[in-house]
Amino acid sequence: MSGLLGSSPIVPLIRSSNSSPSAGTDPNVVLISGLGQLLSSLNIFQDSLQQIYSPYAVNNSISGSSSNPSVASVSTAAGAQNGNYSISVSQLAQAHSAVTAFTLPDTSSTAVGSGSLTIKTGSYAYTSSTSASSFTPSGSSATLSISNGTLSSIATAINGSGVGMVANIVQNASGNYQLQISAAQTGASNNFQILVSDNDGNNTDQNGLSRLAFDQTQAVGSGQNLTQTQAAQNANYLINGASGSNAGNSGISLGASVSMDLLSTGSTNISVKLDLNGLNGQAQSLADAFNTLQGSLNALLVSGGLLSRDPIAKQLANSMNQQAGASYSNGSSLLVKLNQIGLNFQYPQQFGQMGSLSLSNNSLQSAYSGDSQGVANLLYTAARALNWLANSYASYGNGTIPQTLTALQKMQFSLQLRQSATPTSNTVPANLASLTGNQSGTIQLSAQQISALSLYAMVYSLGAPYAVNSQILNNGLGLSGNGNSGNGISTYA
């Protein structure tokens, strides 16, 4: 800021007596008001531009559709590209699940047994759909102490173990209850094993707590006592003829920023493309933001306006005009100027002012039909460039306008201090005698007068100390001298 007053293009204007729009108007105040209004308009302009290229807006301009949404749905995010995908789903992913072979007439009164359950997650090496040669733990494990556990209390213990299992009580057709235990995650590698330490001494039989044993390396009914109702498996599918497999049914990638969720077996075609209506709305928003700033800036630049002679405002108008007609880098796309996508620039009617933008929907649609991705990229690039240009003027860190406003405010404050320090007529007397000579009764001295009195006393005391002393004592401090009574003095700020 130290060099701002000397280098700012606005300083010569401030110092010029011709810069005042009317007699008696402080040019600094006029400029501060005008630049403040311009700064506010630029902030609004930037907010509008940032909404155009925000991730939310970019994502909303991209749409995906599924020809058979009961088979698969599609999701897109910022960065998604146009594409078409033929999908065939042969198998959905599912979680390993088993249910008790026994039933009970209630959920919270009849005890299953006592002992402990050790639950592990991992994967089996299957030799058949329900028989395995080994089990390899890969997840967490937990050992649960059970005392006269009922279906309800055992389910609560499993669900609270944090081992990645889900226990539910189900009621069968006859009205009795069973305990269903499932892995929390789908996928062929997400199996589980339950080992029992039964207080009755037999850990694998069909009595007591051991009825909950489930180890598929053991024989059914002797260590594998739960009945498997659903095997753990991956989702299997084809994408444009290429086979794929996934442990889950959700978030399956089709390409950059494009994914699908599988809902059932079958076939569907997924299409991803930029939405014309979304791009049209964003292009119109860019034109509206530009024209709103144009209206505000030109109102300040017109003859008699607050910034009619301000070089900063004129420079901004010229820079905005140049940016609206500039060429932008747009990858391999041939669309590099806004008028190629229907955003046409109109020059201002008066030289030195800001022009405007208008949108041709037909031109935008034509460009979209040939290169929808190029249209989107150019629109977002232009919005960013205009925002960066506005920021060079409006940034509170180093923008031209905030820096100039700071300089103006400092100058105005300094001017006010000088004006307030200038004594008015007869406020400070020409000499000590005029201060003390014509007073009667009690007087009120201002801070300036007290300061002047001290200064004069110091100066005069160098040449006539006794005369000064007599003058102050007799006339200033209310002391008697030569038979005359002095004047009383009181002070005020």
Side-chain angles (χ1 to χ4, degrees):
M1 291 302 300
S2 60
L4 186 59
L5 293 180
S7 62
S8 173
I10 204 167
V11 171
L13 180 60
I14 296 172
R15 295 171 178 166
S16 172
S17 60
N18 295 328
S19 63
S20 176
S22 62
T25 303
D26 188 335
N28 286 17
V29 174
V30 172
L31 289 170
I32 289 172
S33 176
L35 289 174
Q37 292 180 39
L38 180 55
L39 182 60
S40 177
S41 297
L42 281 172
N43 290 335
I44 295 172
F45 179 59
Q46 288 186 274
D47 287 342
S48 299
L49 293 175
Q50 290 163 11
Q51 292 176 21
I52 293 172
Y53 63 81
S54 69
Y56 175 81
V58 172
N59 183 38
N60 280 355
S61 69
I62 303 169
S63 63
S65 60
S66 174
S67 63
N68 191 350
S70 65
V71 171
S73 61
V74 60
S75 299
T76 60
Q81 303 293 314
N82 292 351
N84 293 286
Y85 308 91
S86 174
I87 307 298
S88 178
V89 182
S90 58
Q91 175 179 288
L92 291 178
Q94 59 188 27
H96 199 196
S97 184
V99 68
T100 56
F102 65 93
T103 64
L104 294 178
D106 58 77
T107 63
S108 56
S109 298
T110 304
V112 176
S114 298
S116 65
L117 303 175
T118 297
I119 304 174
K120 300 178 181 180
T121 56
S123 59
Y124 286 105
Y126 283 102
T127 57
S128 69
S129 60
T130 59
S131 180
S133 60
S134 64
F135 177 79
T136 303
S138 60
S140 56
S141 64
T143 297
L144 311 176
S145 295
I146 306 297
S147 178
N148 293 320
T150 63
L151 293 178
S152 179
S153 64
I154 293 172
T156 299
I158 293 173
N159 290 331
S161 67
V163 75
M165 302 293 295
V166 178
N168 293 300
I169 299 172
V170 296
Q171 188 175 27
N172 60 24
S174 64
N176 291 325
Y177 299 93
Q178 295 170 281
L179 183 64
Q180 183 183 62
I181 303 174
S182 306
Q185 295 182 340
T186 60
S189 298
N190 294 319
N191 305 120
F192 66 90
Q193 179 190 68
I194 301 176
L195 303 178
V196 178
S197 176
D198 197 333
N199 284 359
D200 66 7
N202 192 325
N203 299 328
T204 60
D205 66 0
Q206 296 281 1
N207 295 308
L209 193 63
S210 58
R211 288 181 287 178
L212 299 181
F214 185 69
D215 181 0
Q216 292 188 293
T217 66
Q218 303 297 314
V220 174
S222 181
Q224 188 181 162
N225 297 338
L226 296 180
T227 300
Q228 178 175 287
T229 56
Q230 184 169 275
Q233 65 183 31
N234 286 353
N236 295 328
Y237 45 84
L238 296 176
I239 302 175
N240 290 339
S243 61
S245 181
N246 197 68
N249 295 312
S250 301
I252 299 172
S253 177
L254 295 177
S257 303
V258 181
S259 63
M260 67 176 175
D261 295 343
L262 304 182
L263 305 174
S264 67
T265 58
S267 299
T268 186
N269 291 311
I270 289 177
S271 175
V272 177
K273 63 180 181 179
L274 289 159
D275 179 50
L276 175 60
N277 290 333
L279 288 177
N280 187 83
Q282 290 170 329
Q284 187 62 59
S285 294
L286 177 59
D288 291 344
F290 192 89
N291 294 339
T292 298
L293 176 63
Q294 179 231 22
S296 300
L297 178 54
N298 286 353
L300 295 169
L301 286 172
V302 295
S303 178
L306 296 179
L307 302 179
S308 60
R309 300 185 60 209
D310 175 50
I312 293 178
K314 292 181 178 180
Q315 182 186 45
L316 173 61
N318 182 59
S319 298
M320 284 291 170
N321 293 342
Q322 291 179 349
Q323 194 66 57
S327 295
Y328 298 92
S329 176
N330 195 11
S332 60
S333 175
L334 297 178
L335 301 174
V336 295
K337 302 190 74 171
L338 289 178
N339 61 5
Q340 292 177 283
I341 62 172
L343 282 167
N344 300 308
F345 177 70
Q346 287 81 43
Y347 287 93
Q349 295 180 352
Q350 182 176 340
F351 179 77
Q353 292 193 343
M354 181 176 168
S356 62
L357 285 175
S358 63
L359 176 63
S360 168
N361 293 323
N362 290 336
S363 297
L364 177 63
Q365 184 171 0
S366 177
Y368 171 87
S369 298
D371 185 4
S372 61
Q373 192 64 53
V375 171
N377 291 341
L378 177 59
L379 183 61
Y380 304 144
T381 300
R384 287 189 181 94
L386 287 166
N387 180 55
W388 291 335
L389 173 59
N391 199 56
S392 69
Y393 285 86
S395 172
Y396 286 96
N398 53 11
T400 304
I401 294 176
Q403 285 188 345
T404 304
L405 280 172
T406 299
L408 286 170
Q409 289 163 352
K410 285 185 176 181
M411 293 174 65
Q412 189 68 12
F413 181 69
S414 177
L415 179 62
Q416 291 172 349
L417 286 179
R418 290 197 302 270
Q419 290 174 341
S420 64
T422 302
T424 58
S425 177
N426 296 326
T427 298
V428 178
N431 53 54
L432 186 62
S434 65
L435 173 66
T436 60
N438 298 317
Q439 298 177 7
S440 62
T442 300
I443 63 172
Q444 299 287 322
L445 295 184
S446 70
Q448 286 183 331
Q449 290 172 325
I450 294 172
S451 176
L453 179 62
S454 299
L455 178 61
Y456 290 143
M458 179 186 70
V459 173
Y460 286 130
S461 67
L462 296 178
Y466 298 106
V468 170
N469 179 61
S470 175
Q471 186 112 358
I472 293 176
L473 291 177
N474 291 341
N475 297 320
L477 303 181
L479 299 178
S480 299
N482 299 325
N484 298 323
S485 62
N487 296 315
I489 298 177
S490 60
T491 62
Y492 68 94

